[in-house]
Amino acid sequence: MRSGKEVKVDVMAQPTRTDSMVHPMQIESPTQAAQLRENYPSDDEFRPFRKWIPWMVPSFVVANIAVFVVTMYENDCPKQSSSCVARFLGRFSFQPFKENPLLGPSSSTLLRMGALDVKRLIGGRQWWRLVSCIWLHAGIFHILANMLGLLFIGIRLEQEFGFIRIGLIYLLSGLGGSLLSALFIQSSISVGASGALFGLLGAMLSELITNWTIYANKFAALLTLVLIITINLGVGILPHVDNFAHIGGFLSGFFLGFVILIRPQFGWVRPNRAHPQHLRKSSPKKHKTYQYILWVLSIILLITGFTLAIIMVARGVNGNDHCSWCRYLSCVPTSRWRCRSTPGTCQISQRDELVSLTCLDSGKSRNYTLPGVMETQLYDLCIGLCS
């Protein structure tokens, strides 16, 4: 299950605009502003950069909430259990705490709604689950943390770069997180938007690196951002958190940032809009050499990484078979918790309507009277018994 608390980063990135000619820069004094005005006397050249009006990120938040409401309606806990949480909510009540401590639906409902499950992804050719799982959440606490992070991070980025570029980073990072999760988390389901959120964090870091020369407080911004990323990735080593989705999303967003968040260096002017006096002066190139190098390398790594990941997932490759230590990237066992990739395994015996389950991990047993029992019901009952 994906999770993670994203925190707002107050990085002083400058706004951009499609018709901009002079690159924005942090102006720290009236003297500096006067010098810039002298170098670019035309008002058409020295134009303030407006901010984009964010609408896509709020739309994503609304869409995630709407999907969660539909999921809870589909779940209909009172129909399945007599110990629902907040039963006064009717069919919107939550599954018992022992089954879902995040106040949300059952695992079987998440599966029906499109959770990432490698068996169905490969065996059933349900590739759409790589994308649908990004819009699903395991509970109230889960969606609250992710949506707050999306608002704090996404709105600021959309104001600076517009909805097209941030939308691409969000969706492709979510896909990258799902692919890496499918390679290493193969015995349980995964849902959540935190892979996409980590992609936005990764893009913020690469944008800071590739546009390094235009930042006023470079090292303060870098240290703040690295600290926040480290804390969030550190949370992923806790049990029941899909840190592979976080890592996959972060790497995807990091390289995407070099490609689509690159900005012209300060002083560059579009030739077709420049003042004649300015054209007679020596004008810097649009981008620095290191920006071009990072752009090319990132394109190569993105195409190679996504292609290999899709091929490996399609062939049913288990990443843990080729990397024995990689499991510690998602969970580090301690004396306080165990890192168990599955909620438990049960032995099932059935006679007419009487079903007996025995949790092989704990040895607990329980009998159920279930007319017309389905596989998804047994799955949920096994999770509850072994929890």
Side-chain angles (χ1 to χ4, degrees):
M1 180 178 61
R2 302 174 190 177
S3 177
K5 298 180 179 178
E6 287 73 18
V7 185
K8 178 180 177 181
V9 185
D10 192 18
V11 178
M12 297 180 67
Q14 300 298 320
T16 186
R17 182 177 181 173
T18 55
D19 63 347
S20 300
M21 291 164 292
V22 182
H23 196 278
M25 185 176 182
Q26 184 72 19
I27 301 175
E28 297 179 323
S29 67
T31 302
Q32 186 179 5
Q35 291 174 348
L36 293 175
R37 174 64 69 181
E38 181 179 354
N39 292 332
Y40 304 101
S42 170
D43 288 336
D44 189 45
E45 291 181 34
F46 191 73
R47 183 184 303 175
F49 288 79
R50 68 172 174 85
K51 287 182 178 291
W52 296 80
I53 298 176
W55 61 269
M56 183 202 63
V57 168
S59 298
F60 280 176
V61 172
V62 172
N64 276 279
I65 295 174
V67 171
F68 182 74
V69 171
V70 172
T71 302
M72 292 306 304
Y73 180 85
E74 175 69 19
N75 185 64
D76 194 6
C77 180
K79 187 177 179 180
Q80 308 175 37
S81 174
S82 59
S83 55
C84 301
V85 178
R87 197 175 181 84
F88 62 89
L89 294 176
R91 65 184 301 152
F92 291 98
S93 56
F94 311 109
Q95 293 298 119
F97 275 114
K98 65 178 181 180
E99 183 180 337
N100 187 345
L102 297 176
L103 291 180
S106 65
S107 300
S108 59
T109 299
L110 290 172
L111 279 172
R112 291 197 305 271
M113 295 296 293
L116 179 60
D117 178 61
V118 176
K119 295 179 182 177
R120 289 168 172 80
L121 178 69
I122 301 174
R125 297 295 175 184
Q126 298 175 3
W127 291 92
W128 49 269
R129 290 183 178 272
L130 290 171
V131 177
S132 62
C133 66
I134 302 172
W135 305 94
L136 293 169
H137 289 83
I140 290 290
F141 299 131
H142 190 199
I143 192 172
L144 182 63
N146 278 347
M147 291 306 100
L148 287 176
L150 178 56
L151 287 173
F152 287 137
I153 297 173
I155 285 183
R156 189 174 185 84
L157 283 174
E158 189 178 353
Q159 287 176 334
E160 303 291 343
F161 296 100
F163 69 94
I164 295 179
R165 285 185 279 187
I166 301 308
L168 282 174
I169 292 175
Y170 183 87
L171 295 175
L172 290 177
S173 297
L175 176 61
S178 296
L179 286 170
L180 192 64
S181 180
L183 285 172
F184 287 94
I185 307 294
Q186 300 196 343
S187 55
S188 59
I189 66 174
S190 180
V191 295
S194 50
L197 290 176
F198 269 81
L200 296 181
L201 282 174
M204 291 179 72
L205 179 59
S206 58
E207 189 273 330
L208 173 60
I209 294 173
T210 194
N211 301 319
W212 182 256
T213 58
I214 71 171
Y215 277 82
N217 300 313
K218 301 176 177 62
F219 292 101
L222 179 62
L223 288 175
T224 301
L225 189 53
V226 169
L227 178 62
I228 289 173
I229 292 172
T230 302
I231 292 174
N232 278 275
L233 287 174
V235 172
I237 66 175
L238 298 174
H240 308 300
V241 178
D242 184 0
N243 208 29
F244 287 111
H246 297 173
I247 296 172
F250 174 81
L251 292 176
S252 300
F254 181 70
F255 292 120
L256 283 167
F258 287 122
V259 176
I260 63 180
L261 299 186
I262 184 174
R263 286 171 159 170
Q265 61 174 312
F266 179 74
W268 175 78
V269 180
R270 288 185 179 180
N272 63 329
R273 300 290 298 277
H275 192 276
Q277 180 181 352
H278 181 75
L279 287 176
R280 290 193 294 268
K281 301 178 181 179
S282 59
S283 178
K285 294 181 180 180
K286 183 175 182 179
H287 298 293
K288 292 183 177 294
T289 303
Y290 80 89
Q291 290 179 306
Y292 286 115
I293 294 174
L294 290 172
W295 189 88
V296 173
L297 290 176
S298 298
I299 283 284
I300 295 173
L301 290 172
L302 281 169
I303 295 175
T304 303
F306 272 89
T307 302
L308 289 177
I310 291 173
I311 293 174
M312 293 171 69
V313 171
R315 292 182 176 180
V317 175
N318 188 337
N320 297 290
D321 295 338
H322 304 278
C323 181
S324 58
W325 58 268
C326 285
R327 65 180 184 273
Y328 297 116
L329 294 175
S330 187
C331 181
V332 177
T334 69
S335 58
R336 294 181 176 272
W337 63 70
R338 293 186 299 166
C339 294
R340 187 172 56 186
S341 59
T342 59
T345 305
C346 293
Q347 182 179 2
I348 305 172
S349 60
Q350 182 176 2
R351 184 177 180 181
D352 297 329
E353 296 182 354
L354 182 64
V355 178
S356 298
L357 295 183
T358 301
C359 179
L360 298 181
D361 290 347
S362 62
K364 293 192 297 184
S365 298
R366 188 170 298 174
N367 296 327
Y368 304 88
T369 302
L370 300 172
V373 63
M374 296 184 294
E375 179 183 353
T376 54
Q377 287 181 287
L378 295 176
Y379 180 84
D380 290 337
L381 289 172
C382 182
I383 292 176
L385 185 62
C386 294
S387 297

